[in-house]
Amino acid sequence: MSDHQPPRGDTPRYIRLHPQDNVAIVANAFGLPANSRFPDGLTLAEFVPQGHKVALADIGEGAPVMRYGEVIGHAAAFLPRGCWVDEAKIVMPEAPGMDELELATRIPDAAPPLEGYTFEGYRNADGTVGTKNILAISTSVQCVAGTLDFAIRKIREELLPRYPHVDDVIGLTHTYGCGVAINAPMASVPIRTLQNLARNPNFGGEVMVVGLGCEKLAPERLVPEGAPPSIMRMQDEALHGFGAMIDEIMTMAEQRLAVLDKRRRETCPLSDLVIGVQCGGSDAFSGVTANPAVGFASDLLVRAGASVMFSEVTEVRDAIHLLTPRAVDQEVGRALIREMAWYDDYLEQGGANRSANTTPGNKKGGLANIVEKALGSIVKSGSCPISDVLAPGERLRRKGLIFAATPASDFICGTLQLASGITLQVFTTGRGTPYGLAAAPVIKVATRTELAERWSDLIDLDAGRIADGKATIDDIGWELFHLILDVASGRKKPWSDKWGLHNALALFNPGPVT
Ligand code: CA
């Protein structure tokens, strides 16, 4: 084997996404050495790692670098055909202006309804449907977290075995409630997030709150109107010592376990299913394999009546001109712009901008900047009209494809989507992350086969087969669609649930702390 050929007779392959693109990404695992020759005659001038870009033609200094048929930046210097186009060679463009965006001008035609699919869910009194049966205990302040953790260990050991139809008991613990400017306008974001988290369909409407007694966030604010009294305060003078407090939590928990234990799965239409999608540890394959497959599955779900939330404002901002025309009406288009503008201001106040989004891992994976990342990220939204926009932590109002505004942080996005009412999340990753949520199952989709094989007991679906030419986007999209229904119905468990890998909740608090 000569030194310029890839291992095991693996033919050099690149992936070009759009006829106008003047760069493509190297598909071969571990990259390709200098002098590797592609079937069309293109020869690499230097080593190019997997997922990184190669110039398909000479690109003059200052000329646009095109991927997805869009400008991802301009050449910082002359880029000869066959060279490695790494992030240092691309100058990032300005974010699209928001004054003259088209609103609801290219609303996609309604695709034919997809009929004949159902899932087995837990129906709640308020009409929502869960995919799990969990007792969730809310907290009004961080001070009680250790106490609640102690109580939960005891509930798991002593009570849960007596209520076999309940999947788990979890604490909705967080860092809010003490030392916060509770009346500041932005405090509405963490407060509504906690209120709506307690109402997630996977918790069956059984709310209980553990509070301290002196916190600014009054526990009453976390109990929905009309719900039975369900608050335990550690500073309650009737409670003498830690043992009495734990007994009180156990008594309240047991009453709720008895109710939850009567829940049974029933056959539900897909219009009762609400899922979220997000990505984390993205690479250049995210927008080629996993995210398009998620977009395909998202279209299938929406056509079948389900609701799909996509999020992550800083990963949408640079592609906003591709989304506002898909808004179902002008009002939804304006709401998209409102969320983008709010976040631009929020970042500016912190002395940052959208370029802070890309991580060292993203760049190592071949993503030059946030423009390239955003173009690959919005593919998760598929091609349906955008039917509504939710501000961070707001509850689902309409069905269909929803933009739920959240930061891109995996944990904050997960927490806010749970507050908005998702009962399952699909998570795409290129670099790899063991991410999981206690409140809802998470299906992890790898962008590359190499990752899916190396992490075979963490990754649930390998979308890398698309880059290898072993499967199409449609194939993987259908596979994911069926996997979503199996997981939502409790027939299959994703790896994060098999291992119990559950990340802590992370609230978004744009307000001041005192
Ligand atoms: Ca993320």
Side-chain angles (χ1 to χ4, degrees):
M1 191 168 76
S2 64
D3 63 354
H4 63 265
Q5 286 305 314
R8 288 175 277 119
D10 193 6
T11 309
R13 280 171 289 116
Y14 66 68
I15 301 171
R16 181 191 214 171
L17 293 170
H18 192 276
Q20 282 179 347
D21 292 358
N22 54 10
V23 293
I25 61 167
V26 167
N28 302 69
F30 310 109
L32 290 172
N35 297 321
S36 296
R37 199 177 153 86
F38 294 92
D40 67 354
L42 177 72
T43 304
L44 289 185
E46 56 196 310
F47 167 73
V48 180
Q50 186 194 30
H52 282 246
K53 288 175 285 298
V54 52
L56 298 173
D58 290 348
I59 305 172
E61 183 179 342
V65 177
M66 308 284 296
R67 202 172 165 224
Y68 299 98
E70 297 281 325
V71 177
I72 62 166
H74 295 88
F78 173 69
L79 301 173
R81 173 177 152 90
C83 80
W84 176 10
V85 183
D86 70 9
E87 83 215 44
K89 294 178 185 157
I90 302 180
V91 180
M92 188 164 82
E94 289 294 309
M98 290 199 286
D99 296 335
E100 289 178 2
L101 289 172
E102 292 183 22
L103 304 179
T105 48
R106 275 173 280 148
I107 308 168
D109 292 335
L114 186 64
E115 281 161 5
Y117 293 97
T118 57
F119 74 111
E120 303 298 309
Y122 294 99
R123 187 169 294 286
N124 299 313
D126 67 357
T128 63
V129 172
T131 66
K132 277 192 169 183
N133 186 19
I134 295 173
L135 170 62
I137 304 178
S138 299
T139 56
S140 49
V141 68
Q142 187 183 15
C143 316
V144 305
T147 303
L148 181 56
D149 287 346
F150 184 96
I152 283 176
R153 284 196 297 273
K154 210 165 146 68
I155 294 168
R156 282 212 179 108
E157 246 167 62
E158 296 173 19
L159 297 182
L160 215 47
R162 303 214 310 265
Y163 300 95
H165 295 286
V166 181
D167 293 321
D168 200 2
V169 50
I170 65 173
L172 303 178
T173 53
H174 53 84
T175 59
Y176 200 73
C178 178
V180 291
I182 200 80
N183 294 318
M186 281 301 113
S188 59
V189 175
I191 294 172
R192 77 166 165 247
T193 302
L194 288 173
Q195 289 167 335
N196 292 339
L197 267 174
R199 298 167 72 194
N200 184 284
N202 286 352
F203 307 152
E206 290 300 307
V207 177
M208 69 177 266
V209 187
V210 174
L212 184 63
C214 60
E215 62 271 37
K216 284 187 185 159
L217 179 60
E220 290 79 2
R221 295 183 68 175
L222 301 183
V223 182
E225 240 173 90
S230 46
I231 297 167
M232 176 273 184
R233 280 182 191 74
M234 291 183 69
Q235 292 170 352
D236 186 335
E237 286 172 9
L239 296 173
H240 292 258
F242 185 71
M245 295 167 197
I246 298 297
D247 287 348
E248 178 79 3
I249 296 173
M250 298 284 283
T251 304
M252 281 174 62
E254 182 150 24
Q255 288 164 358
R256 278 153 187 86
L257 285 170
V259 177
L260 290 172
D261 198 54
K262 296 199 178 79
R263 290 176 99 199
R264 293 291 182 276
R265 290 186 189 270
E266 58 185 85
T267 303
C268 301
L270 287 205
S271 53
D272 288 325
L273 184 63
V274 183
I275 77 153
V277 299
Q278 75 152 321
C279 46
S282 297
D283 66 4
F285 283 97
S286 299
V288 181
T289 60
N291 291 353
V294 169
F296 188 91
S298 164
D299 283 349
L300 294 176
L301 288 164
V302 173
R303 283 173 55 199
S307 298
V308 177
M309 291 184 199
F310 71 111
S311 295
E312 303 176 289
V313 172
T314 49
E315 290 172 13
V316 165
R317 173 69 181 89
D318 281 271
I320 189 64
H321 58 294
L322 304 175
L323 294 178
T324 52
R326 282 171 58 193
V328 77
D329 57 34
Q330 296 221 342
E331 196 188 328
V332 170
R334 278 191 292 272
L336 269 170
I337 294 174
R338 182 194 68 217
E339 291 304 325
M340 298 299 119
W342 184 92
Y343 217 90
D344 279 358
D345 286 346
Y346 166 74
L347 288 174
E348 202 181 309
Q349 281 168 25
N353 61 47
R354 70 205 213 283
S355 69
N357 175 295
T358 33
T359 64
N362 291 155
K363 290 180 176 175
K364 203 171 170 222
L367 290 173
N369 58 37
I370 185 60
V371 182
E372 186 177 14
K373 188 171 170 180
L375 291 166
S377 174
I378 64 157
V379 184
K380 294 196 296 296
S381 70
S383 60
C384 287
I386 298 168
S387 64
D388 201 7
V389 173
L390 301 176
E394 278 185 343
R395 253 190 140 205
L396 183 80
R397 294 179 289 244
R398 287 186 205 163
K399 293 185 191 296
L401 177 66
I402 313 288
F403 180 71
T406 76
S409 152
D410 297 347
F411 318 103
I412 300 181
C413 173
T415 302
L416 288 172
Q417 285 191 350
L418 285 171
S420 294
I422 63 158
T423 56
L424 181 153
Q425 197 183 46
V426 175
F427 188 103
T428 66
T429 184
R431 308 293 302 163
T433 160
Y435 173 87
L437 297 169
V442 175
I443 295 172
K444 285 203 290 294
V445 183
T447 69
R448 292 174 300 118
T449 297
E450 186 274 324
L451 173 68
E453 287 175 352
R454 183 159 42 90
W455 282 25
S456 62
D457 50 4
L458 286 168
I459 297 291
D460 300 292
L461 187 67
D462 173 20
R465 287 173 286 161
I466 295 167
D468 302 341
K470 290 179 184 147
T472 63
I473 289 171
D474 299 21
D475 294 337
I476 306 287
W478 274 108
E479 225 176 285
L480 177 58
F481 174 79
H482 288 292
L483 182 57
I484 289 168
L485 300 196
D486 282 343
V487 170
S489 304
R491 292 188 290 264
K492 278 188 186 163
K493 258 189 189 187
W495 282 108
S496 57
D497 280 350
K498 282 182 196 156
W499 297 123
L501 303 180
H502 296 148
N503 290 105
L505 296 174
L507 286 183
F508 182 39
N509 179 22
V513 173
T514 61

mmCIF file of all heavy atoms in Angstrom, residues 278-280 312 315 408-410 413 427, ligand 1:
data_model
loop_
_atom_site.group_PDB
_atom_site.id
_atom_site.type_symbol
_atom_site.label_atom_id
_atom_site.label_comp_id
_atom_site.label_asym_id
_atom_site.label_seq_id
_atom_site.Cartn_x
_atom_site.Cartn_y
_atom_site.Cartn_z
ATOM 1 N N GLN A 278 -32.487 18.303 19.580
ATOM 2 C CA GLN A 278 -31.373 19.235 19.727
ATOM 3 C C GLN A 278 -30.088 18.516 19.348
ATOM 4 O O GLN A 278 -30.070 17.290 19.155
ATOM 5 C CB GLN A 278 -31.291 19.827 21.146
ATOM 6 C CG GLN A 278 -30.754 18.909 22.221
ATOM 7 C CD GLN A 278 -30.063 19.689 23.357
ATOM 8 O OE1 GLN A 278 -29.359 20.672 23.116
ATOM 9 N NE2 GLN A 278 -30.261 19.237 24.595
ATOM 10 N N CYS A 279 -29.005 19.286 19.217
ATOM 11 C CA CYS A 279 -27.727 18.667 18.926
ATOM 12 C C CYS A 279 -26.702 19.124 19.960
ATOM 13 O O CYS A 279 -26.876 20.139 20.619
ATOM 14 C CB CYS A 279 -27.249 18.985 17.507
ATOM 15 S SG CYS A 279 -27.385 20.691 17.015
ATOM 16 N N GLY A 280 -25.634 18.343 20.103
ATOM 17 C CA GLY A 280 -24.578 18.699 21.040
ATOM 18 C C GLY A 280 -23.291 18.025 20.615
ATOM 19 O O GLY A 280 -23.301 16.858 20.213
ATOM 20 N N GLU A 312 -32.427 26.207 20.302
ATOM 21 C CA GLU A 312 -31.028 26.620 20.191
ATOM 22 C C GLU A 312 -30.854 27.888 19.341
ATOM 23 O O GLU A 312 -30.379 27.837 18.203
ATOM 24 C CB GLU A 312 -30.184 25.458 19.651
ATOM 25 C CG GLU A 312 -30.315 24.213 20.531
ATOM 26 C CD GLU A 312 -29.591 23.006 20.003
ATOM 27 O OE1 GLU A 312 -30.041 22.432 18.986
ATOM 28 O OE2 GLU A 312 -28.573 22.629 20.598
ATOM 29 N N GLU A 315 -27.855 28.812 17.228
ATOM 30 C CA GLU A 315 -27.594 27.930 16.091
ATOM 31 C C GLU A 315 -28.642 28.091 15.000
ATOM 32 O O GLU A 315 -28.625 27.373 13.998
ATOM 33 C CB GLU A 315 -27.510 26.479 16.574
ATOM 34 C CG GLU A 315 -26.244 26.299 17.380
ATOM 35 C CD GLU A 315 -26.123 24.986 18.081
ATOM 36 O OE1 GLU A 315 -26.903 24.068 17.784
ATOM 37 O OE2 GLU A 315 -25.244 24.891 18.953
ATOM 38 N N ALA A 408 -28.272 27.250 23.390
ATOM 39 C CA ALA A 408 -27.837 25.999 22.764
ATOM 40 C C ALA A 408 -27.251 25.018 23.778
ATOM 41 O O ALA A 408 -27.125 23.830 23.479
ATOM 42 C CB ALA A 408 -26.796 26.290 21.682
ATOM 43 N N SER A 409 -26.902 25.484 24.978
ATOM 44 C CA SER A 409 -26.387 24.611 26.043
ATOM 45 C C SER A 409 -27.271 23.372 26.149
ATOM 46 O O SER A 409 -28.493 23.481 26.295
ATOM 47 C CB SER A 409 -26.399 25.362 27.379
ATOM 48 O OG SER A 409 -26.531 24.440 28.442
ATOM 49 N N ASP A 410 -26.649 22.195 26.087
ATOM 50 C CA ASP A 410 -27.442 20.957 26.047
ATOM 51 C C ASP A 410 -28.399 20.853 27.233
ATOM 52 O O ASP A 410 -29.552 20.443 27.099
ATOM 53 C CB ASP A 410 -26.508 19.733 26.050
ATOM 54 C CG ASP A 410 -25.618 19.695 24.804
ATOM 55 O OD1 ASP A 410 -25.896 20.451 23.844
ATOM 56 O OD2 ASP A 410 -24.648 18.927 24.814
ATOM 57 N N CYS A 413 -31.140 23.710 27.221
ATOM 58 C CA CYS A 413 -32.108 23.389 26.160
ATOM 59 C C CYS A 413 -33.001 22.234 26.610
ATOM 60 O O CYS A 413 -34.223 22.294 26.466
ATOM 61 C CB CYS A 413 -31.377 23.042 24.868
ATOM 62 S SG CYS A 413 -32.461 22.444 23.559
ATOM 63 N N PHE A 427 -31.419 13.528 20.207
ATOM 64 C CA PHE A 427 -30.188 14.304 20.397
ATOM 65 C C PHE A 427 -29.152 13.814 19.400
ATOM 66 O O PHE A 427 -28.782 12.640 19.417
ATOM 67 C CB PHE A 427 -29.717 14.080 21.838
ATOM 68 C CG PHE A 427 -28.581 14.954 22.266
ATOM 69 C CD1 PHE A 427 -28.814 16.051 23.086
ATOM 70 C CD2 PHE A 427 -27.284 14.684 21.868
ATOM 71 C CE1 PHE A 427 -27.766 16.867 23.493
ATOM 72 C CE2 PHE A 427 -26.231 15.491 22.263
ATOM 73 C CZ PHE A 427 -26.471 16.594 23.089
HETATM 74 CA CA CA B 1 -27.260 21.793 22.288
#
